[in-house]
Structure formats: C-alpha cells, structure tokens
Amino acid sequence: MKGRQIFNNYCAACHKLSARATGTALRGVDSTVYSNWMKVEKREFDTIRFKELGVEYHRYLASELNTLEIRNIYQYTKPISN
C-alpha cells in the first residue's frame, strides 16, 4: 500500500492533512514524531487523557504497520515543495 491509501485506511478517521480533527493535522509533521508515536514502545505519558486520545491505538498500529508503510504515510503527509 502507498501512503495515501495507508493514511485513508488507518489515519483519516481521526486525522486530516491540513486541519485539526479529533487528532492533529498531519501535514508537515516531522518524521521523528511519527517514529515516537508509532514505534517507541513503553512510552510514558503524564496524563490519562493521552490514552483517551489514542495512544493505545497508535501502539496497536505499530504492530500492524511496518517501517516502510509508516515511511509511506510520512511521504504522503510531508509538505508539498514548490
């Protein structure tokens, strides 16, 4: 699957490219952020609200998506160069 299709299948229910929805807008999010949310395991957060907003879902996705698929999402959501 390529980035757009993966984004639509796994991310678009909560995230939009350039507008805030349930989740943050993902256009231009740094690749390190993707890595931290999708691949860093046992990450501790200060508030229960993060769990309500999908930390567990993102950890689940980390087991479902491989590194190439996550990279494809990043490529799809990065800013368009002029």
Side-chain angles (χ1 to χ4, degrees):
M1 284 192 270
K2 293 293 182 193
R4 182 179 183 172
Q5 184 179 359
I6 298 166
F7 179 87
N8 287 336
N9 288 346
Y10 291 98
C11 310
C14 296
H15 297 279
K16 305 304 174 214
L17 287 177
S18 299
R20 178 148 175 74
T22 302
T24 59
L26 293 181
R27 175 73 73 209
V29 170
D30 185 88
S31 62
T32 304
V33 174
Y34 281 101
S35 176
N36 286 342
W37 273 101
M38 301 296 294
K39 290 295 183 186
V40 175
E41 300 207 14
K42 298 180 182 172
R43 193 158 213 238
E44 295 296 323
F45 294 94
D46 294 337
T47 175
I48 293 172
R49 186 153 191 258
F50 282 110
K51 288 187 180 184
E52 294 170 2
L53 296 175
V55 170
E56 294 304 320
Y57 179 71
H58 289 93
R59 287 183 178 161
Y60 159 77
L61 282 183
S63 68
E64 291 291 307
L65 299 175
N66 63 43
T67 302
L68 178 60
E69 291 169 320
I70 294 170
R71 188 175 304 136
N72 285 335
I73 295 170
Y74 170 70
Q75 290 296 321
Y76 174 65
T77 61
K78 73 180 186 178
I80 300 168
S81 300
N82 290 336

